[in-house]
Every structure is written in C-alpha cells, then in structure tokens.
C-alpha cells in the first residue's frame, strides 16, 4: 500500500487496474436497484408525490453527497434539493458503520454494518435519494486522515468514489466534510478529501482506465462544495476532538492544493427549515423523521419544531466560474443551465440547435403538466405526462440514430433515461396506477371481513429455498379517474428459470376505480443465489470487503430475487409499475409488516460461540449448535463436528427432525481436546440433509420496525490454546447493557454466568456471586441499574467485586464508591497495536489466577478501548498506561479501588470486542478481574484484619 501524498498514486492505480483485486471488481455500470419497499412513503404517493415528480421533470439538476458513515449526511439539504428543487440526488457513503456502537441489539462488526445499511436506506427514503456505498469497512474510530488512508488505501477508496461519480454523473458534488481536523476524525476527513479529488480526477480517462474499458465514460462535475465547518475555533486554533489537540485554523483545498487561512466562507445557504404545505412540515423535519430510523447509535432522534434553519456551504472549485469563484451564490446550480434544453450542450456547438428545439418542446410539455396539476384530481396532468414520456423516448431514438460523437450520445442518453423514468413514475402517480405483489399464505385464500378485505394480515414464510414451489399474488389497481389498457403483467426472477405460470390473464383494460388480482406460480431454481451480502472479509482486521459478486459493487445489497411488473398504456403510451415481491411478518406491537421475499438454504446451521479459548490443561468445552430448517414441511438429517486430529466429541453425531418451516433445534456437543498447544484451532459443524451438506447459517439482523436482512457466517468455532487458569465454580452476575457476547464466551471458559434482571437488581441476593459485571453502556441503557446502584456498592462493601465495563458519560454521576470521571469527550485509544505498559507488575490483580504481562495485549482487534477515565480519586489504583501516537498518556483504562471488604473495578478496555473474537490475553485479564474476591493476597489481608 502506498504512502498517502494527498494525490492519486499512479503506481497504485496501475496496480488496481491489473491486480487480482481489480479483476474481481466491477468497473463498469451497475444493475439498477429496485426499492424493496411494498409501498412508497405517504408523501411520495398521489398528489404530493406527483408535485415532487413535476419538480424533477422540469430540471436536469443533479447532485451527489459524499459522507463517511450512515448518519453523517446532511439530510435536510438532501430533502430540500431532491423533494423541493427536483434535483436528482445521490448519497454515497464510504462505509457501513461496522465499527460503531449499538444500543438496539447485540449485533456488532459486519452484522452492525448490515443493520446500519438498512437504517440508512430507511432514512434515505425520507431524504428522497439514490444510495451507493464503497467497499471499505468502518474499522473503528480513526483519529487522523493519514491513519484512515493508510488503513483503507487512498486509491482503493478513490477508485470506488470515482466509479460512482462516473456512473451517476452529477453536475455538483458536495460533502458534509472539508478534509480538515474540524471534521471530527479521519474517516470524516477522508470523505471530504474524496469528494474534492473525485471532482478533479473522474473526468480524466487515464485515471482508473479499467473503468473506461468496462464501458464507463469520464465525467467532470461542474462544482464541488463542502459544508462550512462547525468547528470550535478560539485564539488557540481549531480543537481536534479526535486527538484532543489544538490545530491551526487553515483548510486545504484538495482541488487546487492551496490553503484557505481561517474558516472557509459561506458561499450559499440551503433553507432546510422551509415549510412545504403538501408535506405539512419543513424539509428538515422530513429529514429528521428519516434520521430517526437510524436508532442503533442513539435510539433515534426527535423531530425539530418549526423554525427557520439554514445550512451553509462553501464552494471549493468550479468549472463554470473559472479561476475566480463567486463570493456568494443562491443555489448549488448558479451558472449552470439546468433546463432540459441544457442537455443539448453535450452536442457539438454546430449541431445543438435541433436538439435544443426538441428539448425545449419537452420542457413545454412539462410546463403544461405542471399548469394542469390539481391536488384534488392529479389525473388532469396525465395527458401531458403521457406526451412527455412519448417525446422523451422519441428523442432517445433520434440520438441513437444520429451521427453525434459517442461521448455526446452517452451523456444525452444518460440524462434522458433519467427523464424517462421520471415521466413514467409521474404518469403512474397522476393516474393512481399501483401494484403490490406478495407471497400467498400456504393453504389460505383471501377473505373479506365486514369492513373490507383482510389480505395482508396472515403471516407467510419469509424465505424460499431452491427447488421450492412459490405462489405469488399480484394485486393491481387503477385508483384514479381515467381508464387504462393492460398490456402485460409478469413476475420476474432475478436469475435462472423460475418456470412461471399464471392461472389466468388480466383483463385487457382497467376502468377507473377498478382492481384485480392475478396468481402466478413458479419454482425456485436449484441454482438461485442465496440472499446475503455480496461482500465479505476473511478477518475483522481487513479494513475493506472482498466482493463475492463484483457486479453489485456500489449497491446497498444484492437485488431482491423476485419482482412483479405491470405494463399498461394510457392514450397509446406505454408505462409500467414494478414492485418487489413481499412476504408478511407479524411483529408484536406493530402488526403485520410487508418484508421482501428472500432465498435461503434449506438448512441453516450455526455454532455458538463463534470464537473462544481452550485452556492448555485440556479442559473440556461445550459447543452449542443451532439448526434452523427453511423446508416447508418435515425435514430430517444429521449434524456432526469436524474436529482437530485426536479431539473427540460427545455425541459423535446428532440426528435432527423438524416439522415445519422455521423450526429450530438446539444441539449440544461436549468436545474433549487432546494435546492442546498454544496455537489456533478450528472446529467446523456439518449438517446433512437430502444428500447435501450445509456448513453455514444466518441470523436475521433487525430491530422491531427495521427491514430485516440475513447475516451469514461459517458454522465454525475458532479457538486458541491458551494458558488460562479459572477458579473452580466461579459465579458472576451480568448486568447486560446495550448487548454483547461476553457472557456466552465466559460460559464457554467455565464461568457460571447469570443475567441479572431489574427484579434481581432490586431484591436478589448478590452475595452468591464472586463478581457482578456491569456491561457496556449499561448506565445509559438500564434505569434500574441507576436506581439500584447503592445495592451494588453495599455488595462490594461486604466483600464482593464489581467490574464496570466501558461506559458513556451517563456514568459520570458519582456511581462509584469514590469519584471517577468519564466525561462525554472521554479519551479513546484506537490503535489496537499501541504499546500497553504495566504500571505495577506486582499488583495482586495482575498476578492471580493468571500472571498478566504486556504480551496479553498482543493481537487485539480494532481498538484498545473507549471511555478512558479522565480523573479519579487517589483511592483508585491505575494498572496500565497506553496511548495512540501523539496522544497524552492514558492511565484510566484499568482502575480499581478497595471499598470495605471488596474491590470496585472500572475498565475501558474493549473486552466486548476482544473476548467474542477469542483474543487469548483478553480472557486472561478478564478472568483476573472477575476472580478478585478469590484473590489469595486480599483474602489473606482480610483474614488478618478480622
């Protein structure tokens, strides 16, 4: 990987173009991504939706925003530009937020990335944007730009960003970030840098030429902006929250290489607080409603009260204005011809006139449709929209037949294809033509209730398996006031031959107010791809994904497997509506929810935990296997373990029998190791059913109300032989915070773990536990913990041990026996390889039952820890010191204090990441902490005191 030089590394560009990685990448155009939603949002339907479509039809404005993670985006700006100004708007997010926190479930790492992808998709439906991603992963908090680019590889990120710019071809690029320390941390800075560099380089055919060879064309956006930094600036400079240092107030322009002294000026403001009467709220409120779907980081946000709010942006470069940039502008598109006639400017100057004339005629038709718009009767715009759709197709055909230069044809057809889709959607909105396709409940027919049809209330299967028959109901409706002709109704599989057959044909026409249903049956092809992420990585230490299906690079997910399409005609012009085939899932407290049909293997098999350690004394371990059947009926088979040489299991194999789809079986295998060495081992679970072997399984990543998606992993247990000593019959109580896998891993290591409920905290006898563990962010998530904190202190006073894992600033309210401060801006040590110094190697906590040395901090993953204590009472003893490059020494990672007869321990170390990954040293350190009440050094002193 090359050294970051704030410019394209041509040697690495050549490497990317010809290396095996580039060979597996999709350099050319990507498949269209159909919305997985069963229904558009209410504000995208009917009169409101048509009004927005008319705004889009009258302009060729297009914009791309580049950000680092989900929830970085300026949603109010995106909603204003897309919904209010009609700009074709794309949000490009570098990573999926895998390294973030999760207050909703226990999903972390790549599972969290799946969750945050779908949270952002839900949010983006409110912003009104197309969405794309690059292949890099959020490896955790990054303090500097150089660190982020070293981990990701500058050209790897730029490659994907340039590719998306060449695909989307936006007139304007923006970012929330400027590439400066004011952005917050290195990932954010990278997004700002990439926005400006892609603006500069995407138009050069010599940059990533494999993309051009694959069919993309160079593209030079006309402007690039970044939001004016909201940095804390004082006489000391800009405060860098990532490093805790003050930096000079100067900003680099990555297009020109020059520096801006001081904070970049405000070129324009976006009035996000502007009220839209059709929505009944402002664009900012609409966007915030979308942002509220991104719950994993903070449990959602509130909707702002009505008020004016402007978002400031600075113009960094322009191909419109030349070298002298305007001091102020009104919009992103000042100086750009964003009328439809502006599409003609791609043609040579001597050939533009006839194309401009045709495009002006198209603009006039849009004007007619807009003038005829009626919120009470949207179909009044239908005739003009049909003519506009027909005119758009005519222009496309003329361009294809013309002798225009290839580049001009490419760009004109690109923009007119967007107009064709917009006219098609607007016509369907004006007429009220809609389609909903869903799986038919097995063995049930739709029935009528006294207040209407009850279809959609009965749960269906969510996963189909290869070889399974499927029955799809396609419901079409003409809700408007005009009649339409029905040309075709079809169900389409994403790949393979589904052998579709319809029981009947739709009527040749559909009158106003009429609806119809058609049942289509098929069989899932044996080779149908499983619905799963199209990307994966071999280890968490790899900071980017490999592409299991390169064709999908940039898409949120692989396309869902089955869609339905209605082709209809109005006044002789054909249009269509398309929908993803849905299933019905009933969620307690929410009710029936439509969710896309997905393909799964017949048998899913998983082993728990995923990783752990094997004490070198050959202690036994128990593996728990969860088997799920997706077979629509009975299934029988066998499960066994593929073990290291000499190891045995009891039983050697286990049979399973399931009765129906979704049945799960929990199996247990006691594994006896032999001759355990201090090295890694792997155990693979194999399930056999119907002559096939299954060695992977999935869990569904979701929270109630979020569209679910499966996360697959091999059915393997990764373990490492380690010198680990565990006191006999060690019992701990665990106060779960926001969710983690530490309890399961401790159980695997021989610890008896009891999860403590609110009732337990209030009244249970805690003295039976050797230690009580307070899980990550529990003080933020468990009001019962805060209410009963004094019981925990009393437990310590009587001789118990409390271990407090990493907490946020909610803990900063004197919950310990003595003062300890973990403020909102508490320090982090994010370099997992940073040197860990033992401050007192003779301290009892570091010597029993395991002798802890600096070697126990080797091979950690992602980070050392979050929430390092800043200050503490002298009664606390710090045991370690560590720091990132350029960071002050951090001694607040592991503190303990004697309180009464017991020990109170606070640790910011990321055990919730290390232990589930089977990092040997993390087990040894953790075992010492939770064994403190058994430590002979302290037991002896207590006896002497008595």
């Amino acid at each position: 990987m090359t050294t970051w030089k704030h410019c394209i590394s041509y040697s690495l560009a050549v490497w990317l173009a010809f290396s095996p990685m580039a060979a597996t990448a999709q350099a050319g155009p990507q498949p269209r991504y159909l919305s997985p939603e069963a229904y558009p949002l209410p504000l995208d339907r009917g009169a409101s939706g048509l009004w927005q479509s008319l705004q889009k039809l009258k302009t060729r404005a297009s914009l791309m925003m580049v950000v680092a993670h989900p929830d970085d985006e300026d949603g109010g700006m995106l909603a204003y530009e897309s919904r209010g100004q009609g700009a074709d708007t794309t949000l490009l997010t570098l990573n999926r937020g895998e390294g973030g926190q999760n207050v909703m479930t226990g999903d972390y790492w790549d599972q969290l990335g799946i969750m945050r992808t779908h949270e952002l998709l839900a949010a983006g439906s409110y912003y009104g944007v197309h969405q794309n991603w690059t292949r890099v992963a959020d490896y955790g908090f990054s303090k500097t730009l150089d660190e982020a680019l070293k981990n990701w590889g500058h050209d790897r990120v730029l490659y994907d960003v340039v590719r998306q710019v060449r695909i989307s071809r936006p007139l304007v690029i923006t970012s929330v970030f400027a590439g400066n320390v004011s952005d917050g941390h290195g990932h954010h800075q990278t997004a700002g840098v990439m926005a400006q560099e892609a603006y500069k380089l995407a138009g050069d055919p010599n940059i990533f030429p494999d993309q051009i060879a694959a069919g993309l064309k160079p593209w030079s956006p006309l402007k690039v902006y970044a939001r004016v930094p909201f940095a804390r600036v004082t006489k000391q400079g800009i405060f860098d929250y990532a490093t805790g240092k003050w930096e000079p107030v100067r900003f680099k322009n990555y297009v020109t290489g020059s520096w801006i002294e001081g904070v970049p000026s405000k070129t324009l403001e976006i009035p996000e607080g502007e009220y839209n009467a059709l929505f009944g709220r402002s664009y900012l409120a609409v966007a915030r409603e979308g942002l509220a779907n991104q719950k994993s980081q903070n449990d959602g946000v509130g909707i702002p009260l009505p008020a004016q709010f402007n978002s400031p942006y600075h113009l960094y470069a322009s191909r419109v204005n030349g070298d002298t940039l305007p001091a102020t502008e009104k919009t992103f598109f000042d100086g750009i011809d964003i009328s439809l006639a502006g599409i003609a400017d791609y043609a040579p100057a001597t050939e533009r006139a006839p194309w401009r004339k045709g495009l002006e005629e198209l603009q006039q038709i849009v004007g007619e449709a807009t003038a005829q718009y009626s919120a009470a009767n949207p179909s009044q715009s239908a005739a003009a929209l049909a003519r506009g759709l027909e005119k758009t197709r005519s222009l496309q055909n003329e361009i294809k037949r013309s002798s225009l230069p290839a580049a001009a044809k490419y760009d004109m057809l690109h923009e007119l294809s967007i107009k064709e889709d917009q006219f098609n959607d607007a016509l369907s909105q004006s007429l009220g033509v809609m389609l909903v396709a869903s799986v038919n409940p097995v063995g049930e027919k739709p029935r009528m209730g006294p207040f209407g049809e009850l279809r959609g209330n009965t749960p269906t299967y969510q996963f189909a398996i290869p070889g399974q028959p499927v029955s799809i109901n396609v419901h079409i409706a003409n809700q408007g006031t005009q009649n339409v002709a029905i040309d075709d109704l079809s169900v389409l599989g994403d790949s393979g031959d589904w052998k579709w057959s319809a029981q009947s044909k739709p009527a040749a026409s559909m009158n106003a107010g009429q609806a119809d249903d058609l049942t289509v049956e098929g069989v899932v092809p044996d080779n149908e791809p499983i619905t799963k992420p199209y990307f994966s990585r071999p280890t968490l230490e790899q900071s980017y994904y490999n592409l299991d299906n390169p064709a999908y690079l940039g898409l949120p997910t692989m396309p869902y497997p089955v869609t339905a399409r209605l082709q209809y005609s109005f006044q002789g012009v054909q249009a269509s509506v398309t929908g993803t085939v849905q299933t019905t899932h009933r969620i307690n407290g929410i009710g029936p929810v439509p969710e896309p049909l997905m393909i799964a293997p017949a048998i899913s098999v998983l082993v728990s935990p995923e990783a752990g350690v094997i004490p070198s004394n050959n202690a036994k371990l128990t593996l728990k296997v969860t088997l799920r059947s997706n077979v629509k009926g009975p299934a029988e088979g066998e499960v066994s373990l593929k073990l290291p040489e000499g190891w045995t299991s009891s039983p050697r194999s286990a049979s399973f029998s399931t009765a129906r789809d979704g049945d799960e079986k929990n199996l247990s295998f006691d594994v006896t190791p032999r001759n355990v060495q201090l090295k890694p081992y792997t155990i693979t679970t194999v399930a056999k059913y119907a002559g096939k072997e299954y060695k992977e399984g999935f869990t569904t990543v979701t929270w109630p109300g979020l569209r679910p998606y499966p996360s697959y992993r091999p059915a393997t247990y990764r373990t490492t032989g380690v010198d680990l000593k565990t006191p006999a019959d060690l019992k701990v109580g665990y106060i779960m915070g926001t969710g983690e896998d530490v309890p399961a891993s401790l159980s695997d290591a021989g610890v008896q773990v009891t999860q403590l409920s609110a009732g337990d905290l209030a009244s249970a006898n805690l003295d039976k536990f050797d230690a009580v563990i307070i899980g990550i962010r529990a003080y933020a998530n468990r009001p019962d913990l805060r209410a009963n904190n004094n019981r925990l202190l009393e437990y310590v006073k009587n001789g118990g041990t409390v271990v407090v894992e990493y907490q946020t600033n909610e803990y900063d309210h004197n919950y310990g026996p003595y003062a300890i401060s973990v403020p909102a801006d508490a320090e982090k040590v994010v370099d997992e390889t940073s040197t860990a110094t033992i401050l007192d190697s003779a301290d009892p906590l570091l010597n029993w039952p395991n002798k802890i040395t600096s070697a126990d901090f080797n091979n950690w993953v992602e980070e050392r820890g979050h929430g390092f204590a800043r200050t503490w009472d002298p009664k606390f003893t710090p045991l370690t010191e560590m720091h990132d490059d350029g960071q002050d020494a951090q001694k607040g990672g592991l503190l303990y204090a004697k309180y009464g007869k017991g020990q109170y321990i606070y640790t910011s170390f990321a055990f919730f990441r290390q232990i589930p990954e089977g990092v040997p040293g993390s087990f040894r350190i953790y075992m010492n902490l939770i064994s403190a009440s058994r430590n002979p050094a302290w037991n002896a002193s207590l006896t002497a005191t008595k």
Side-chain angles (χ1 to χ4, degrees):
M1 199 165 293
T2 61
T3 302
W4 165 235
K5 299 178 181 178
H6 299 281
C7 66
I8 178 74
S9 165
Y10 287 96
S11 60
L12 186 53
V14 172
W15 176 80
L16 277 167
F18 297 104
S19 73
M21 189 195 91
T24 60
Q26 177 70 18
Q30 61 194 16
R32 184 180 179 185
Y33 190 75
L34 181 66
S35 170
E37 302 289 350
Y39 304 96
L41 292 176
L43 73 164
D44 288 324
R45 305 178 204 168
S48 174
L50 177 58
W51 179 85
Q52 294 174 79
S53 292
L54 291 170
Q55 308 314 302
K56 292 182 179 298
L57 283 169
K58 70 183 181 183
T59 180
R60 57 183 286 260
S62 59
L63 177 147
M64 174 184 283
M65 167 161 273
V66 183
V67 298
H69 318 85
D71 77 15
D72 285 347
E73 65 278 358
D74 185 351
M77 182 277 280
L78 295 171
Y80 175 81
E81 292 296 333
S82 174
R83 295 188 176 280
Q85 302 305 301
D88 189 62
T89 307
T90 298
L91 174 61
L92 175 59
T93 308
L94 299 187
N95 66 64
R96 298 169 187 264
E98 299 88 343
Q101 307 303 312
N102 189 352
V103 303
M104 298 299 292
T105 71
D107 295 302
Y108 286 97
W109 305 108
D110 297 355
Q111 290 77 24
L112 178 58
I114 292 172
M115 176 177 290
R116 296 188 70 182
T117 295
H118 286 271
E119 288 180 335
L120 184 54
L121 286 173
S125 65
Y126 286 84
Y127 308 153
V129 297
H130 314 292
Q131 293 205 53
N132 297 107
W133 276 261
T134 76
R135 80 188 78 192
V136 298
D138 180 356
Y139 56 81
F141 192 81
S142 61
K143 292 189 174 181
T144 68
L145 174 62
D146 288 339
E147 178 209 333
L149 292 168
K150 177 183 176 183
N151 278 284
W152 279 340
H154 167 263
D155 289 25
R156 178 178 286 110
V157 187
L158 184 63
Y159 183 96
D160 288 357
V161 176
V162 165
R163 178 175 174 270
Q164 289 303 326
V165 170
R166 287 170 171 171
I167 291 172
S168 299
R169 312 182 82 73
L171 296 176
V172 171
I173 295 180
T174 69
S175 181
V176 169
F177 306 112
N180 186 272
V181 296
S182 61
D183 294 338
H185 58 73
H187 290 179
H188 292 167
Q189 290 175 258
T190 301
V193 171
M194 290 298 143
Q196 295 186 43
E197 288 205 341
Y199 163 87
K200 179 180 180 179
L201 298 171
D204 185 345
N206 297 311
I207 301 299
F208 308 123
D210 61 310
Q211 297 178 2
I212 307 303
L216 294 181
K217 299 294 185 185
W219 178 250
S220 295
L222 299 181
K223 295 183 179 182
V224 62
Y225 296 82
R227 201 177 189 280
V228 174
F230 38 89
R232 176 182 165 193
V233 177
T234 71
K235 294 180 180 179
Q236 296 173 275
I238 296 178
F239 185 72
D240 184 348
Y241 286 94
T243 63
K245 307 292 185 181
W246 292 92
E247 301 290 344
V249 186
R250 58 199 312 256
F251 289 73
K252 184 171 183 178
N253 184 316
Y254 292 92
V255 178
T256 65
S258 61
W259 289 88
I260 300 170
E261 301 298 334
V263 177
S265 61
K266 175 182 65 180
T267 306
L268 59 85
E269 289 185 314
I270 303 301
E272 300 179 9
E274 184 175 298
Y275 176 73
N276 186 307
L278 286 170
F279 303 164
R281 51 200 186 278
S282 69
Y283 295 100
L284 180 60
V286 170
R288 199 65 63 80
E289 195 172 347
L291 182 62
N293 286 282
Q294 301 193 60
K295 296 181 184 296
S296 60
Q297 299 308 286
N298 54 22
D299 197 24
V301 297
I303 310 302
L305 295 173
Q308 189 58 47
F309 178 80
N310 297 323
S311 187
Y313 280 79
H314 175 78
L315 176 63
Y316 280 83
S318 170
R319 293 185 169 94
V320 176
N321 306 102
D323 294 335
T324 303
L325 301 181
T328 61
E329 292 180 313
K330 292 183 179 180
T331 75
F332 287 128
F333 304 99
D334 281 10
I336 303 173
D337 184 356
I338 56 173
S339 70
L340 300 190
I343 298 173
D345 290 344
Y346 293 118
T350 57
E351 302 179 42
R352 289 177 190 166
W355 300 112
R356 180 170 286 275
K357 182 175 181 295
L359 290 162
E360 287 172 346
E361 292 172 358
L362 185 62
Q363 188 94 50
Q364 185 177 357
I365 294 173
V366 175
E368 292 176 20
T370 304
Q372 293 161 357
Y373 170 78
S374 168
N377 185 9
S379 63
Q380 289 185 12
S381 297
L385 291 169
R387 285 192 289 114
L389 180 55
E390 185 175 41
K391 178 67 174 178
T392 302
R393 290 170 177 163
S394 175
L395 285 169
Q396 288 174 302
N397 290 330
E398 290 176 28
I399 292 169
K400 292 174 184 177
R401 293 192 300 265
S402 74
S403 59
L404 285 168
K409 284 186 176 183
Y410 188 97
D411 287 323
M412 294 172 74
L413 289 173
H414 170 78
E415 294 206 19
L416 284 173
S417 70
I418 294 173
K419 292 299 136 195
E420 181 182 15
D421 289 342
Q422 292 172 350
F423 269 115
N424 181 87
D425 294 345
L427 181 57
S428 298
Q429 289 168 328
S430 68
L431 293 170
V433 175
M434 59 87 71
L435 171 151
V436 176
S438 55
V439 168
N440 282 315
V442 177
E444 291 192 29
K445 294 182 178 180
R447 58 191 179 90
M448 294 293 292
F451 301 107
E453 190 184 74
L454 298 176
R455 185 189 300 274
N457 284 284
T458 304
T460 66
Y461 58 81
Q462 295 176 277
F463 297 95
I465 65 173
Q468 174 191 325
V470 293
S471 177
I472 309 296
N473 180 79
V474 184
H475 180 82
I476 57 176
N478 179 5
Q479 304 169 98
T481 61
Q482 303 292 320
N483 300 339
V484 299
I486 303 301
D487 300 325
D488 184 56
L489 184 61
S490 56
V491 176
L492 309 169
D494 183 57
S495 61
D497 181 10
W498 286 66
K499 299 181 174 60
W500 297 114
S501 63
Q503 295 181 351
S504 61
K505 293 184 177 180
S509 63
M510 182 173 288
N511 296 331
Q514 188 178 353
D516 197 5
D517 289 276
L518 182 75
T519 297
V520 180
E521 296 181 342
V523 178
V524 181
D526 289 337
N527 62 346
E528 180 67 18
I530 300 302
T531 306
K532 62 194 304 187
Y534 63 83
F535 46 84
S536 62
R537 50 180 173 163
T539 68
L540 296 176
E541 290 302 284
Q542 181 171 301
S543 60
Y544 59 91
Y545 288 112
N546 298 329
L547 301 174
D548 303 325
N549 192 328
Y552 300 143
L553 172 61
L555 296 183
T557 68
M558 64 183 290
Y560 285 92
V562 189
T563 58
R565 181 181 65 193
L566 167 67
Q567 292 176 296
Y568 69 94
S569 293
F570 176 72
Q571 295 187 356
V573 179
Q574 190 175 82
S576 64
V577 288
T578 307
T580 300
V581 171
Q582 306 288 319
T583 65
T584 301
H585 181 207
R586 183 172 284 276
I587 301 174
N588 288 341
I590 297 178
V593 177
E595 295 170 349
L597 173 66
M598 295 181 280
I599 307 300
I603 300 296
S604 164
V605 59
L606 290 172
V607 62
S608 176
E610 298 177 53
V613 295
I614 295 284
S616 56
N617 61 5
N618 292 342
K620 290 185 178 181
L621 70 122
T622 299
L623 292 185
K624 297 176 182 177
V625 174
T626 301
L627 181 142
R628 172 194 164 108
S629 171
N630 299 304
V631 179
K632 309 304 182 281
E636 294 182 353
E638 183 181 82
V639 178
S640 60
L641 302 181
K642 185 177 179 181
L643 297 164
E645 185 176 357
W647 295 22
T648 59
S649 71
S650 178
R652 293 184 60 184
S653 64
S655 61
F656 70 86
S657 176
T658 59
R660 62 188 65 83
D661 175 36
D663 274 4
E664 291 190 355
K665 293 293 182 180
N666 295 313
L667 307 173
S668 182
F669 291 83
D670 292 324
V671 177
T672 302
R674 290 286 186 271
N675 301 319
V676 175
Q677 306 296 312
L678 302 183
K679 67 177 186 178
Y681 296 92
T682 299
I683 299 173
T684 301
T685 307
V686 181
K688 296 180 179 179
Y689 164 72
K692 294 184 178 180
E693 290 188 348
Y694 298 87
K695 300 179 182 179
E696 70 172 2
F698 70 91
T699 56
T700 301
V701 178
T702 187
W703 41 256
L706 180 70
R707 182 172 54 252
Y709 202 78
S711 171
Y712 281 80
R713 68 173 187 265
T716 57
Y717 173 71
R718 295 174 287 108
T719 188
T720 302
V722 61
D723 179 15
L724 176 67
K725 299 178 179 64
T726 303
D729 300 320
L730 191 66
K731 299 180 180 68
V732 301
Y734 208 99
I735 303 172
M736 182 64 75
T738 54
E740 54 180 310
D741 293 331
V742 170
S745 299
L746 291 179
S747 296
D748 182 53
V751 179
Q752 300 176 43
V753 181
T754 300
Q755 299 268 5
L756 299 182
S757 66
D760 294 331
L761 287 179
S763 60
N765 176 21
L766 301 179
D767 292 337
K768 62 184 178 182
F769 299 116
D770 295 289
V772 172
I773 302 168
I774 301 176
I776 61 170
R777 301 178 72 167
Y779 279 94
N781 199 52
R782 295 281 298 264
D784 56 308
L785 167 62
R786 300 192 296 269
N788 293 287
N789 189 74
N790 286 339
R791 290 200 75 226
L792 295 175
L793 296 181
E794 191 66 23
Y795 160 75
V796 175
K797 195 172 184 179
N798 291 334
T801 296
V802 163
V803 178
V804 183
E805 292 185 333
Y806 141 64
Q807 301 295 317
T808 48
N809 62 301
E810 289 83 1
Y811 176 69
D812 203 27
H813 293 282
N814 297 319
Y815 285 114
Y818 312 111
I820 179 172
S821 176
V822 183
D825 60 345
E827 293 281 355
K828 313 169 182 66
V829 178
V830 299
D831 182 357
E832 67 273 26
T833 67
S834 61
T835 300
T837 301
I838 304 295
L839 298 178
D840 182 2
S841 60
D843 191 277
L845 201 59
L846 301 178
N847 283 275
W848 192 87
N850 303 288
K851 173 64 178 177
I852 303 303
T853 69
S854 59
D856 289 300
F857 291 90
N858 292 342
N859 302 313
W860 281 39
V861 296
E862 186 169 316
E863 62 183 350
R864 289 299 190 196
H866 268 55
F868 279 70
R870 178 164 297 169
T871 60
W872 51 87
D873 188 281
K875 294 184 179 65
F876 279 101
T877 300
L879 294 178
T880 62
E881 186 281 317
M882 55 191 63
H883 59 274
D884 290 323
D885 287 345
Q887 184 181 28
D888 295 336
Q890 298 299 313
K891 297 182 179 180
L894 180 56
L895 307 169
Y896 80 94
K898 296 179 181 180
Y899 181 62
K901 301 176 183 179
Q903 310 293 330
Y904 187 93
I905 302 170
Y906 176 82
T907 176
S908 67
F909 295 161
F911 288 115
F912 73 102
R913 298 196 189 279
Q914 314 307 321
I915 288 177
E917 281 299 302
V919 177
S922 67
F923 277 86
R924 287 167 44 82
I925 298 169
Y926 207 85
M927 198 63 67
N928 281 25
L929 304 186
I930 62 178
S931 304
S933 63
R934 302 262 198 105
N935 194 304
W938 288 322
N939 280 330
S941 64
L942 287 174
T943 302
T945 301
K946 290 179 183 178

